[in-house]
Amino acid sequence: MKIAITGTGSYIPTEVTKNTDFLDHEFLNDDGTPFNHPNEVIIQKFESITGIKERRYATKNINTSNMAYFAAEKAIADAGIDKEELDYIIFAHNFGDVTEGKGQGDTLPSLATRVKHQLKIKNPKCVAYDLMFGCPGWLEGIIQANAFIKSGIAKKCLVIGAETLSRVVDKHDRDSMIYSDGAGATIVEAKEDSGQILAHNSATYANGEAYFLFFGETYSKENEDDHRYIKMYGRKIYEFAVIHVPKAIKECLDESGVDISEVKKIFIHQANEKMDEAIIKRFYKQFNQEMPVGIMPMNIAKLGNSSVATIPTLYDMVRKGKVENQTISKGDVVIFASVGAGMNINAMVYKV
Ligand SMILES: CC(C)(COP(=O)(O)OP(=O)(O)OC[C@H]1O[C@@H](n2cnc3c(N)ncnc32)[C@H](O)[C@@H]1OP(=O)(O)O)[C@@H](O)C(=O)NCCC(=O)NCCSC(=O)CC(=O)O
């Protein structure tokens, strides 16, 4: 049985926020003290470390499940399937629907149910549930869909990754500039001659690493803000990722039996461009090879880190010829890989 990604769709929010839009922000250290240098310097440093120049935020009237619905409609149309045939809607996110300014995630009912409702799917046997797995959530959803189809309990699954991180960031934290909003959706089904999942690999590291990403207080000590915000030990994540992700990808490729020379593209979760380059360089180093030019499509400069949405959005864009100098063709072998809160890591080798 060949299990394939037969349709993709994405939603890119319309509001563009450039790095220069942070010039008037009050960035603080974690103890609430100001930095010794102006925001121009912080922003320059940020851009040179991460490669992010601008990011997209959802407009006030749109939440995570709305963006997911927009992406899902496109993926269903792209696959050419009847939405009533879907056996599962698997929705990866980590914060629920967050109303602008409220900071509280709403997950009742599940976001997958909200998407099913918006799609007006009547079939009760289309089972909808949410998946929390940090940034690697969308890829984990694909791995679950693959397992359901292989075992015979499903034929067609809709897998979504969507997040509205702009609504859970502490505006006093300079790391908040990394985060953005977006949605990507995919149809997974058993279909001959349409692609094939060849191998996958997942892991959770929850000892010293468990709280590298966490919900924490604002850095501002001035007002009584008891909200919690997304916080991270960025350097620790960086070091963790460059050690563990290259190994996880290699294990997955070895299992697939595909030779490294056959790999055409690597779609990696985009949190930091320099970090992603370091990961992929180390991956190739395990084969005593240099990283090939153009192997790693990127859109982080314009879209930032939309968590679970980065890979499905990028894959959709490349598939549809929307990323400059990046194409994939039928029969190409590509790798998907992600790392994030958990700390979770996963990888998948896929023949287009
Ligand atoms: C946060 C980082 C950008 C920081 O970069 P570095 O690690 O190089 O920084 P560092 O701590 O060694 O410090 C080097 C210099 O950069 C400065 N510096 C550090 N952070 C900065 C920032 N956000 N903006 C501007 N400057 C910054 C420091 O003051 C220092 O300056 P000087 O040189 O002047 O002393 C990076 O560590 C990073 O991207 N880490 C991984 C992020 C990641 O993958 N997150 C997970 C996403 S998971 C996710 O997406 C969500 C999910 O899973 O749900």
Side-chain angles (χ1 to χ4, degrees), residues 42 45-46 49-50 94 134-135 174-175 177-179 213 230 232 234-235 237-238 269 271-272 275 305 307 339-341:
I42 293 176
K45 189 117 214 172
F46 172 81
I49 302 172
T50 63
N94 297 286
C135 294
R174 57 192 178 162
D175 288 344
M177 292 187 285
I178 286 185
Y179 298 116
L213 275 135
I230 183 170
M232 66 170 164
R235 180 60 10 204
I237 296 169
Y238 196 111
H269 167 56
N272 172 334
M275 179 173 91
N305 171 4
S307 182
V339 56

mmCIF file of all heavy atoms in Angstrom, residues 42 45-46 49-50 94 134-135 174-175 177-179 213 230 232 234-235 237-238 269 271-272 275 305 307 339-341, ligand 1:
data_model
loop_
_atom_site.group_PDB
_atom_site.id
_atom_site.type_symbol
_atom_site.label_atom_id
_atom_site.label_comp_id
_atom_site.label_asym_id
_atom_site.label_seq_id
_atom_site.Cartn_x
_atom_site.Cartn_y
_atom_site.Cartn_z
ATOM 1 N N ILE A 42 19.467 45.687 18.611
ATOM 2 C CA ILE A 42 18.792 44.407 18.920
ATOM 3 C C ILE A 42 18.196 43.821 17.639
ATOM 4 O O ILE A 42 18.357 42.627 17.352
ATOM 5 C CB ILE A 42 17.673 44.639 19.986
ATOM 6 C CG1 ILE A 42 18.307 45.044 21.316
ATOM 7 C CG2 ILE A 42 16.798 43.391 20.144
ATOM 8 C CD1 ILE A 42 17.315 45.394 22.422
ATOM 9 N N LYS A 45 20.885 42.518 15.211
ATOM 10 C CA LYS A 45 21.421 41.251 15.723
ATOM 11 C C LYS A 45 20.396 40.132 15.473
ATOM 12 O O LYS A 45 20.741 39.050 15.008
ATOM 13 C CB LYS A 45 21.671 41.392 17.228
ATOM 14 C CG LYS A 45 22.401 40.256 17.831
ATOM 15 C CD LYS A 45 23.708 40.708 18.376
ATOM 16 C CE LYS A 45 24.768 39.681 18.241
ATOM 17 N NZ LYS A 45 26.079 40.192 18.602
ATOM 18 N N PHE A 46 19.146 40.423 15.790
ATOM 19 C CA PHE A 46 18.073 39.438 15.617
ATOM 20 C C PHE A 46 18.026 38.949 14.168
ATOM 21 O O PHE A 46 17.984 37.750 13.899
ATOM 22 C CB PHE A 46 16.720 40.070 16.010
ATOM 23 C CG PHE A 46 15.550 39.196 15.673
ATOM 24 C CD1 PHE A 46 15.182 38.155 16.510
ATOM 25 C CD2 PHE A 46 14.834 39.397 14.502
ATOM 26 C CE1 PHE A 46 14.119 37.331 16.187
ATOM 27 C CE2 PHE A 46 13.768 38.573 14.171
ATOM 28 C CZ PHE A 46 13.405 37.537 15.017
ATOM 29 N N ILE A 49 21.001 36.751 13.273
ATOM 30 C CA ILE A 49 20.982 35.402 13.892
ATOM 31 C C ILE A 49 19.910 34.522 13.245
ATOM 32 O O ILE A 49 20.140 33.346 12.980
ATOM 33 C CB ILE A 49 20.664 35.457 15.415
ATOM 34 C CG1 ILE A 49 21.638 36.316 16.203
ATOM 35 C CG2 ILE A 49 20.653 34.059 16.013
ATOM 36 C CD1 ILE A 49 21.216 36.528 17.666
ATOM 37 N N THR A 50 18.722 35.088 13.012
ATOM 38 C CA THR A 50 17.573 34.241 12.624
ATOM 39 C C THR A 50 17.235 34.256 11.135
ATOM 40 O O THR A 50 16.544 33.366 10.649
ATOM 41 C CB THR A 50 16.296 34.701 13.363
ATOM 42 O OG1 THR A 50 16.004 36.050 12.951
ATOM 43 C CG2 THR A 50 16.464 34.652 14.864
ATOM 44 N N ASN A 94 -0.882 24.273 19.631
ATOM 45 C CA ASN A 94 -0.453 24.192 21.023
ATOM 46 C C ASN A 94 -1.157 25.168 21.949
ATOM 47 O O ASN A 94 -1.008 25.086 23.161
ATOM 48 C CB ASN A 94 1.058 24.408 21.118
ATOM 49 C CG ASN A 94 1.815 23.318 20.388
ATOM 50 O OD1 ASN A 94 1.899 22.202 20.870
ATOM 51 N ND2 ASN A 94 2.327 23.619 19.202
ATOM 52 N N GLY A 134 4.128 20.346 20.224
ATOM 53 C CA GLY A 134 5.058 21.428 19.903
ATOM 54 C C GLY A 134 5.070 21.680 18.407
ATOM 55 O O GLY A 134 4.125 21.294 17.692
ATOM 56 N N CYS A 135 6.118 22.300 17.939
ATOM 57 C CA CYS A 135 6.224 22.597 16.492
ATOM 58 C C CYS A 135 6.170 21.353 15.620
ATOM 59 O O CYS A 135 5.721 21.438 14.476
ATOM 60 C CB CYS A 135 7.513 23.356 16.203
ATOM 61 S SG CYS A 135 7.487 24.955 16.961
ATOM 62 N N ARG A 174 12.550 40.038 23.499
ATOM 63 C CA ARG A 174 13.035 40.196 22.106
ATOM 64 C C ARG A 174 12.874 38.914 21.291
ATOM 65 O O ARG A 174 12.784 38.960 20.070
ATOM 66 C CB ARG A 174 14.492 40.699 22.100
ATOM 67 C CG ARG A 174 15.426 39.809 22.847
ATOM 68 C CD ARG A 174 16.789 40.432 23.093
ATOM 69 N NE ARG A 174 17.568 39.470 23.869
ATOM 70 C CZ ARG A 174 18.859 39.466 23.998
ATOM 71 N NH1 ARG A 174 19.576 40.408 23.420
ATOM 72 N NH2 ARG A 174 19.479 38.546 24.683
ATOM 73 N N ASP A 175 12.812 37.766 21.991
ATOM 74 C CA ASP A 175 12.583 36.498 21.264
ATOM 75 C C ASP A 175 11.199 36.470 20.612
ATOM 76 O O ASP A 175 10.946 35.651 19.732
ATOM 77 C CB ASP A 175 12.706 35.290 22.204
ATOM 78 C CG ASP A 175 14.141 35.019 22.622
ATOM 79 O OD1 ASP A 175 15.061 35.561 21.969
ATOM 80 O OD2 ASP A 175 14.347 34.274 23.603
ATOM 81 N N MET A 177 10.050 38.353 18.557
ATOM 82 C CA MET A 177 10.146 38.717 17.127
ATOM 83 C C MET A 177 10.223 37.493 16.221
ATOM 84 O O MET A 177 9.977 37.578 15.028
ATOM 85 C CB MET A 177 11.355 39.619 16.888
ATOM 86 C CG MET A 177 11.210 41.001 17.512
ATOM 87 S SD MET A 177 12.549 42.109 17.040
ATOM 88 C CE MET A 177 13.919 41.508 18.017
ATOM 89 N N ILE A 178 10.595 36.352 16.786
ATOM 90 C CA ILE A 178 10.690 35.110 15.989
ATOM 91 C C ILE A 178 9.309 34.653 15.508
ATOM 92 O O ILE A 178 9.160 34.165 14.393
ATOM 93 C CB ILE A 178 11.335 33.978 16.846
ATOM 94 C CG1 ILE A 178 12.830 34.215 17.003
ATOM 95 C CG2 ILE A 178 11.040 32.603 16.276
ATOM 96 C CD1 ILE A 178 13.580 33.106 17.733
ATOM 97 N N TYR A 179 8.304 34.841 16.369
ATOM 98 C CA TYR A 179 7.033 34.145 16.177
ATOM 99 C C TYR A 179 6.059 34.839 15.226
ATOM 100 O O TYR A 179 6.020 36.057 15.127
ATOM 101 C CB TYR A 179 6.367 33.926 17.532
ATOM 102 C CG TYR A 179 7.201 33.048 18.429
ATOM 103 C CD1 TYR A 179 7.735 33.544 19.615
ATOM 104 C CD2 TYR A 179 7.475 31.738 18.078
ATOM 105 C CE1 TYR A 179 8.509 32.733 20.446
ATOM 106 C CE2 TYR A 179 8.246 30.926 18.897
ATOM 107 C CZ TYR A 179 8.761 31.426 20.076
ATOM 108 O OH TYR A 179 9.532 30.619 20.876
ATOM 109 N N LEU A 213 11.116 25.092 26.325
ATOM 110 C CA LEU A 213 10.025 25.995 25.921
ATOM 111 C C LEU A 213 8.946 25.866 26.983
ATOM 112 O O LEU A 213 8.589 24.749 27.375
ATOM 113 C CB LEU A 213 9.455 25.591 24.562
ATOM 114 C CG LEU A 213 10.216 26.174 23.371
ATOM 115 C CD1 LEU A 213 10.445 25.136 22.325
ATOM 116 C CD2 LEU A 213 9.472 27.355 22.783
ATOM 117 N N ILE A 230 4.554 32.572 25.832
ATOM 118 C CA ILE A 230 5.536 31.603 25.331
ATOM 119 C C ILE A 230 6.939 32.153 25.607
ATOM 120 O O ILE A 230 7.236 33.307 25.307
ATOM 121 C CB ILE A 230 5.323 31.281 23.824
ATOM 122 C CG1 ILE A 230 6.321 30.207 23.359
ATOM 123 C CG2 ILE A 230 5.404 32.512 22.933
ATOM 124 C CD1 ILE A 230 6.028 29.644 21.966
ATOM 125 N N MET A 232 11.278 30.898 25.956
ATOM 126 C CA MET A 232 12.217 29.807 25.622
ATOM 127 C C MET A 232 13.635 30.111 26.055
ATOM 128 O O MET A 232 14.019 31.269 26.201
ATOM 129 C CB MET A 232 12.191 29.539 24.127
ATOM 130 C CG MET A 232 12.721 30.670 23.280
ATOM 131 S SD MET A 232 12.892 30.112 21.575
ATOM 132 C CE MET A 232 13.042 31.661 20.723
ATOM 133 N N GLY A 234 16.492 29.934 24.267
ATOM 134 C CA GLY A 234 16.824 29.808 22.848
ATOM 135 C C GLY A 234 18.158 29.145 22.578
ATOM 136 O O GLY A 234 18.273 28.276 21.710
ATOM 137 N N ARG A 235 19.177 29.539 23.341
ATOM 138 C CA ARG A 235 20.525 28.984 23.114
ATOM 139 C C ARG A 235 20.537 27.477 23.396
ATOM 140 O O ARG A 235 21.119 26.678 22.674
ATOM 141 C CB ARG A 235 21.498 29.766 23.990
ATOM 142 C CG ARG A 235 22.925 29.452 23.997
ATOM 143 C CD ARG A 235 23.855 29.501 22.858
ATOM 144 N NE ARG A 235 23.690 30.031 21.548
ATOM 145 C CZ ARG A 235 24.407 29.604 20.498
ATOM 146 N NH1 ARG A 235 25.288 28.675 20.614
ATOM 147 N NH2 ARG A 235 24.238 30.116 19.327
ATOM 148 N N ILE A 237 17.965 25.448 23.204
ATOM 149 C CA ILE A 237 17.230 24.759 22.131
ATOM 150 C C ILE A 237 18.154 24.603 20.920
ATOM 151 O O ILE A 237 18.218 23.548 20.287
ATOM 152 C CB ILE A 237 15.970 25.547 21.729
ATOM 153 C CG1 ILE A 237 14.991 25.605 22.888
ATOM 154 C CG2 ILE A 237 15.305 24.928 20.500
ATOM 155 C CD1 ILE A 237 13.834 26.570 22.685
ATOM 156 N N TYR A 238 18.869 25.660 20.624
ATOM 157 C CA TYR A 238 19.800 25.675 19.486
ATOM 158 C C TYR A 238 20.799 24.516 19.633
ATOM 159 O O TYR A 238 20.999 23.715 18.715
ATOM 160 C CB TYR A 238 20.519 27.024 19.503
ATOM 161 C CG TYR A 238 21.242 27.415 18.253
ATOM 162 C CD1 TYR A 238 20.778 28.471 17.479
ATOM 163 C CD2 TYR A 238 22.388 26.756 17.843
ATOM 164 C CE1 TYR A 238 21.445 28.860 16.343
ATOM 165 C CE2 TYR A 238 23.055 27.133 16.700
ATOM 166 C CZ TYR A 238 22.583 28.187 15.954
ATOM 167 O OH TYR A 238 23.240 28.567 14.820
ATOM 168 N N HIS A 269 11.494 22.452 9.888
ATOM 169 C CA HIS A 269 10.757 23.483 10.647
ATOM 170 C C HIS A 269 11.613 24.739 10.752
ATOM 171 O O HIS A 269 12.779 24.692 11.115
ATOM 172 C CB HIS A 269 10.423 22.966 12.044
ATOM 173 C CG HIS A 269 9.952 24.052 12.957
ATOM 174 N ND1 HIS A 269 8.881 24.856 12.641
ATOM 175 C CD2 HIS A 269 10.417 24.489 14.157
ATOM 176 C CE1 HIS A 269 8.701 25.730 13.611
ATOM 177 N NE2 HIS A 269 9.616 25.533 14.542
ATOM 178 N N ALA A 271 12.597 27.874 12.533
ATOM 179 C CA ALA A 271 12.594 28.692 13.746
ATOM 180 C C ALA A 271 13.695 29.736 13.643
ATOM 181 O O ALA A 271 13.587 30.831 14.185
ATOM 182 C CB ALA A 271 12.812 27.828 14.966
ATOM 183 N N ASN A 272 14.755 29.359 12.945
ATOM 184 C CA ASN A 272 15.950 30.194 12.882
ATOM 185 C C ASN A 272 16.760 29.690 11.679
ATOM 186 O O ASN A 272 17.163 28.531 11.650
ATOM 187 C CB ASN A 272 16.704 30.015 14.214
ATOM 188 C CG ASN A 272 18.060 30.663 14.226
ATOM 189 O OD1 ASN A 272 18.700 30.849 13.203
ATOM 190 N ND2 ASN A 272 18.512 31.005 15.417
ATOM 191 N N MET A 275 20.221 28.290 12.450
ATOM 192 C CA MET A 275 20.131 27.004 13.151
ATOM 193 C C MET A 275 19.792 25.887 12.164
ATOM 194 O O MET A 275 20.410 24.817 12.189
ATOM 195 C CB MET A 275 19.063 27.077 14.247
ATOM 196 C CG MET A 275 18.882 25.789 15.009
ATOM 197 S SD MET A 275 17.772 25.989 16.415
ATOM 198 C CE MET A 275 16.204 25.598 15.659
ATOM 199 N N ASN A 305 8.430 32.330 12.216
ATOM 200 C CA ASN A 305 8.194 30.985 12.747
ATOM 201 C C ASN A 305 6.736 30.851 13.182
ATOM 202 O O ASN A 305 6.356 31.332 14.244
ATOM 203 C CB ASN A 305 9.139 30.745 13.931
ATOM 204 C CG ASN A 305 8.838 29.450 14.694
ATOM 205 O OD1 ASN A 305 7.963 28.682 14.312
ATOM 206 N ND2 ASN A 305 9.560 29.231 15.779
ATOM 207 N N SER A 307 5.333 28.056 13.969
ATOM 208 C CA SER A 307 5.244 26.779 14.699
ATOM 209 C C SER A 307 4.807 25.631 13.782
ATOM 210 O O SER A 307 5.399 25.438 12.721
ATOM 211 C CB SER A 307 4.307 26.953 15.901
ATOM 212 O OG SER A 307 4.237 25.776 16.654
ATOM 213 N N VAL A 339 11.624 20.143 15.071
ATOM 214 C CA VAL A 339 12.036 20.124 16.476
ATOM 215 C C VAL A 339 11.286 21.239 17.199
ATOM 216 O O VAL A 339 11.055 22.296 16.630
ATOM 217 C CB VAL A 339 13.578 20.297 16.603
ATOM 218 C CG1 VAL A 339 14.073 21.570 15.922
ATOM 219 C CG2 VAL A 339 14.030 20.294 18.059
ATOM 220 N N GLY A 340 10.895 20.966 18.444
ATOM 221 C CA GLY A 340 10.209 22.016 19.202
ATOM 222 C C GLY A 340 9.747 21.547 20.560
ATOM 223 O O GLY A 340 10.205 20.509 21.064
ATOM 224 N N ALA A 341 8.836 22.332 21.142
ATOM 225 C CA ALA A 341 8.400 22.117 22.524
ATOM 226 C C ALA A 341 8.113 20.661 22.795
ATOM 227 O O ALA A 341 7.504 19.962 21.998
ATOM 228 C CB ALA A 341 7.168 22.965 22.801
HETATM 229 C C1 LIG B 1 16.876 32.778 20.429
HETATM 230 C C2 LIG B 1 18.069 32.799 19.472
HETATM 231 C C3 LIG B 1 17.680 33.621 18.249
HETATM 232 C C4 LIG B 1 19.254 33.470 20.125
HETATM 233 O O1 LIG B 1 20.382 33.358 19.303
HETATM 234 P P1 LIG B 1 21.776 32.858 19.892
HETATM 235 O O2 LIG B 1 21.552 31.530 20.536
HETATM 236 O O3 LIG B 1 22.797 32.945 18.830
HETATM 237 O O4 LIG B 1 22.031 33.946 20.988
HETATM 238 P P2 LIG B 1 22.908 33.906 22.275
HETATM 239 O O5 LIG B 1 22.016 33.733 23.438
HETATM 240 O O6 LIG B 1 24.080 32.979 22.141
HETATM 241 O O7 LIG B 1 23.452 35.384 22.208
HETATM 242 C C5 LIG B 1 24.238 35.867 21.110
HETATM 243 C C6 LIG B 1 23.977 37.320 20.941
HETATM 244 O O8 LIG B 1 22.655 37.530 20.423
HETATM 245 C C7 LIG B 1 21.896 38.345 21.302
HETATM 246 N N1 LIG B 1 20.525 37.856 21.259
HETATM 247 C C8 LIG B 1 20.021 36.730 21.801
HETATM 248 N N2 LIG B 1 18.725 36.598 21.527
HETATM 249 C C9 LIG B 1 18.370 37.660 20.766
HETATM 250 C C10 LIG B 1 17.168 38.106 20.165
HETATM 251 N N3 LIG B 1 16.029 37.419 20.266
HETATM 252 N N4 LIG B 1 17.191 39.269 19.481
HETATM 253 C C11 LIG B 1 18.316 39.976 19.357
HETATM 254 N N5 LIG B 1 19.498 39.607 19.881
HETATM 255 C C12 LIG B 1 19.535 38.461 20.592
HETATM 256 C C13 LIG B 1 22.582 38.175 22.654
HETATM 257 O O9 LIG B 1 22.361 39.310 23.473
HETATM 258 C C14 LIG B 1 24.025 38.098 22.242
HETATM 259 O O10 LIG B 1 24.503 39.396 21.930
HETATM 260 P P3 LIG B 1 26.050 39.838 22.090
HETATM 261 O O11 LIG B 1 26.775 39.110 20.998
HETATM 262 O O12 LIG B 1 25.982 41.310 21.860
HETATM 263 O O13 LIG B 1 26.440 39.422 23.460
HETATM 264 C C15 LIG B 1 18.499 31.389 19.092
HETATM 265 O O14 LIG B 1 19.088 30.744 20.213
HETATM 266 C C16 LIG B 1 17.429 30.537 18.553
HETATM 267 O O15 LIG B 1 16.842 30.811 17.513
HETATM 268 N N6 LIG B 1 17.207 29.387 19.202
HETATM 269 C C17 LIG B 1 16.296 28.390 18.742
HETATM 270 C C18 LIG B 1 14.941 28.917 18.666
HETATM 271 C C19 LIG B 1 14.019 27.811 18.456
HETATM 272 O O16 LIG B 1 14.247 26.853 17.724
HETATM 273 N N7 LIG B 1 12.943 27.894 19.129
HETATM 274 C C20 LIG B 1 12.060 26.813 19.181
HETATM 275 C C21 LIG B 1 10.988 27.150 18.468
HETATM 276 S S1 LIG B 1 9.872 25.929 18.898
HETATM 277 C C22 LIG B 1 8.564 26.577 18.326
HETATM 278 O O17 LIG B 1 8.694 27.115 17.279
HETATM 279 C C23 LIG B 1 7.322 26.517 19.100
HETATM 280 C C24 LIG B 1 6.874 25.175 19.588
HETATM 281 O O18 LIG B 1 7.581 24.181 19.633
HETATM 282 O O19 LIG B 1 5.681 25.119 19.917
#
